[in-house]
Amino acid sequence: MIIIFAYKNMVVLGTMPIVFLKVLFYNQDKIVKEDNQMRVGFIGLGIMGKPMAKNLLKAGYDLVVADLNQEAVAELAASGAQTAANGAGVAEACQVVITMVPNSPHVRAAVLGENGVAQGAKPGTVLIDMSSIDPTESKAIGAELAKKGIEMLDAPVSGGEPKAIDGTISVMVGGKRELFDRYYDLLMAMAGSVVYVGELGSGNVAKLANQIVVAVNIAAVAEALTFAKKAGTDPELVYQAIRGGLAGSTVMDAKAPMMLAGNFKPGFRVELHIKDLTNALNAAHAISAPVPLSGQLMEIMQSVKADGCDKEDHSSIVRFYEKLSNVTVKS
């Protein structure tokens, strides 16, 4: 009997009894189930981290969580997660630990600080930092962990809360390729796209590039809709007219409806985008890479922050243009 079958991206032509195929596929299923039984730590149950952690539980992973927000910890425990008092406790119980916290100092504290991951981790433990931080800090933290035999990937995400909830975030990963390959399936349990971009720190370079594009795109949408309103044309109709052409984008379809509705419930807060642009400007200046549009967007966001809107969604950039033009985009 001639049989063609695929296994782990290999195609094999040969002869073998059907019973062997059944054993092979049974064993493959068993491998998948065993992978999902790896004990995973998750530190940082905020607006992004909490739904990401829940998606790992839904995928069947054995999860141990920790966060300063005990209500979030209790919510994950009710969903089936185990809990630990701190990062050290998480690392003691897990072979891989994910961190999802706001910025570079928080990662450093969670990983290298008192009761941090490094204190509880054993040689061979892997840290996957999914926070969006300065890439130079990713490299520095990775170097400290390497002294203890701990490996690290930087794997920041894009997509905001809605995509974190439905498991379709985009993940940009830096670090050793073999680590990326080993934990690809784990990351895909939370994501729609997981892409390897190079050595440690490269993930955050990609994320900062993403945040530059998103910030400029949101500002362009806000500027265009405000212009339309000032010109006496319905900005809703303008949006519908241009969204299917070259100007259309994922950002436009996500943020224009919010601007038109005056709905600035945060999917990604202004203050977090300011953090990302600060990291982008610092990283760019360190290598003499001019980023003039990023500088302008930083000042626009600082103006929005000064008006007390830093906790709002970054679509509230439209408020800056409304203030300049003395119109309101909202119908």
Side-chain angles (χ1 to χ4, degrees):
M1 181 178 181
I2 305 298
I3 301 170
I4 300 175
F5 68 98
Y7 177 63
K8 289 189 178 293
N9 298 321
M10 297 182 292
V11 176
V12 179
L13 175 64
T15 59
M16 62 182 67
I18 292 295
V19 66
F20 181 81
L21 276 181
K22 290 182 178 178
V23 171
L24 174 62
F25 291 128
Y26 169 77
N27 286 340
Q28 188 175 357
D29 288 342
K30 187 177 179 182
I31 289 168
V32 171
K33 289 176 182 177
E34 287 176 352
D35 284 347
N36 282 11
Q37 290 306 310
M38 84 168 71
R39 182 166 288 176
V40 178
F42 204 108
I43 299 169
L45 303 173
I47 195 169
M48 295 291 287
K50 184 167 67 173
M52 289 164 62
K54 286 184 175 181
N55 284 331
L56 289 177
L57 287 172
K58 291 175 185 176
Y61 286 96
D62 187 4
L63 203 64
V64 182
V65 302
D67 193 273
L68 295 176
N69 182 347
Q70 291 304 303
E71 288 184 8
V73 172
E75 186 175 338
L76 264 293
S79 297
Q82 301 174 57
T83 65
N86 48 46
V90 171
E92 286 174 359
C94 302
Q95 65 192 82
V96 57
V97 178
I98 295 170
T99 45
M100 186 61 175
V101 296
N103 205 355
S104 305
H106 306 94
V107 176
R108 183 168 282 276
V111 175
L112 301 176
E114 184 178 358
N115 295 319
V117 171
Q119 289 190 1
K122 302 170 286 295
T125 299
V126 175
L127 172 73
I128 303 177
D129 179 37
M130 302 190 76
S131 318
S132 296
I133 69 174
D134 188 325
T136 59
E137 270 293 89
S138 292
K139 293 179 180 180
I141 292 169
E144 289 298 313
L145 292 176
K147 296 175 183 177
K148 300 175 179 290
I150 303 167
E151 301 271 19
M152 178 176 172
L153 294 172
D154 68 313
V157 310
S158 176
E161 184 183 17
K163 289 185 179 293
I165 291 171
D166 65 22
T168 59
I169 53 174
S170 296
V171 185
M172 300 141 269
V173 187
K176 292 181 180 178
R177 183 64 194 237
E178 57 267 31
L179 286 179
F180 170 80
D181 291 339
R182 187 188 311 169
Y183 293 106
Y184 175 83
D185 289 342
L186 171 65
L187 294 171
M188 278 299 295
M190 301 175 280
S193 168
V194 176
V195 178
Y196 179 76
V197 289
E199 64 182 15
L200 185 64
S202 298
N204 274 299
V205 170
K207 174 57 188 287
L208 295 180
N210 178 87
Q211 294 303 83
I212 290 171
V213 173
V214 170
V216 174
N217 205 334
I218 293 175
V221 172
E223 188 170 303
L225 295 182
T226 306
F227 160 71
K229 186 64 176 280
K230 189 74 174 182
T233 303
D234 187 342
E236 169 70 38
L237 297 180
V238 171
Y239 163 58
Q240 295 298 337
I242 67 176
R243 63 189 293 257
L246 188 59
S249 67
T250 300
V251 170
M252 177 181 284
D253 283 338
K255 302 304 175 180
M258 297 181 72
M259 296 176 190
L260 292 164
N263 169 26
F264 304 115
K265 180 182 177 181
F268 191 78
R269 299 191 301 274
V270 168
E271 63 182 353
L272 293 179
H273 214 137
I274 287 175
K275 178 264 295 186
D276 286 340
L277 288 182
T278 299
N279 286 335
L281 290 168
N282 289 341
H285 293 164
I287 57 173
S288 300
V291 283
L293 291 178
S294 298
Q296 289 184 7
L297 262 298
M298 173 63 90
E299 296 309 312
I300 289 173
M301 289 192 182
Q302 290 291 349
S303 176
V304 174
K305 177 182 178 181
D307 284 338
C309 302
D310 53 315
K311 304 293 184 185
E312 293 183 347
D313 187 81
H314 49 180
S315 59
S316 66
I317 284 174
V318 74
R319 293 186 187 276
F320 172 82
Y321 289 97
E322 291 175 333
K323 191 174 181 180
L324 288 180
S325 301
N326 194 31
V327 297
T328 301
V329 167
K330 179 182 177 182
S331 300

